[in-house]
Amino acid sequence: MGKVTIKVKGMSCGHCVSSIEGSVGKLTGVQSVKVNLSSGEVDLEFDPSVVHLNDIKETIDDQGYDVE
């Protein structure tokens, strides 16, 4: 399992948390996703042989947030 924390800009409320956790959590190979609004970070645990980090970042970007 790969573990990574990525910075995401544009998150400001509970809807943002639900949107990101819901969309990323549905990806095959994602074990866990936890959004931290105060730090602007998303903690991920995933299987890199199933899903690539770039696919996860693109999913977040598609929700309207800026991934650093």
Side-chain angles (χ1 to χ4, degrees):
M1 262 321 133
K3 291 184 181 182
V4 68
T5 299
I6 57 175
K7 288 286 221 178
V8 179
K9 289 186 178 179
M11 302 184 299
S12 61
C13 63
H15 174 72
C16 300
V17 173
S18 297
S19 178
I20 291 174
E21 289 182 350
S23 61
V24 173
K26 290 179 183 175
L27 295 174
T28 302
V30 173
Q31 182 73 27
S32 69
V33 54
K34 183 168 175 28
V35 174
N36 185 328
L37 277 180
S38 60
S39 66
E41 296 177 337
V42 178
D43 296 321
L44 300 162
E45 189 172 339
F46 64 100
D47 185 344
S49 68
V50 177
V51 63
H52 295 281
L53 182 57
N54 285 340
D55 295 330
I56 296 171
K57 288 180 176 180
E58 187 175 304
T59 298
I60 295 171
D61 187 63
D62 288 346
Q63 296 294 314
Y65 305 101
D66 296 320
V67 179
E68 296 182 358

